[in-house]
Amino acid sequence: QQRDYEKRNAAMLAIQDYFSEKEMSEAEVLALTRFFNRNYYLDWSIAAMKPYLEQGNASDDLLFNYLQTHTFW
């Protein structure tokens, strides 16, 4: 569905829906946000990273990814 853009959005929504209900580690969120960023779903990346940033103990990788994503968004 990657090159069929009508189906791609439905697939991305299914992925977001699936992972939004999961408890994930920071490393898993970072991998997911990189996937979202590659597919230009930057707002989803930002929303996924915010809870980890609000805790105040986010890794440098997550913080850098957040700032980079926010800059492009």
Side-chain angles (χ1 to χ4, degrees), residues 6-46:
E6 290 178 15
K7 294 180 182 176
R8 180 175 172 240
N9 193 49
M12 291 298 293
L13 287 168
I15 291 167
Q16 183 203 33
D17 187 47
Y18 176 80
F19 283 107
S20 68
E21 298 175 1
K22 301 291 180 190
E23 178 115 6
M24 295 188 292
S25 70
E26 183 180 306
E28 292 169 327
V29 167
L30 188 57
L32 182 63
T33 59
R34 287 178 177 155
F35 173 75
F36 286 157
N37 286 354
R38 282 192 306 273
N39 289 283
Y40 303 103
Y41 288 81
L42 304 177
D43 52 333
W44 293 0
S45 292
I46 291 170

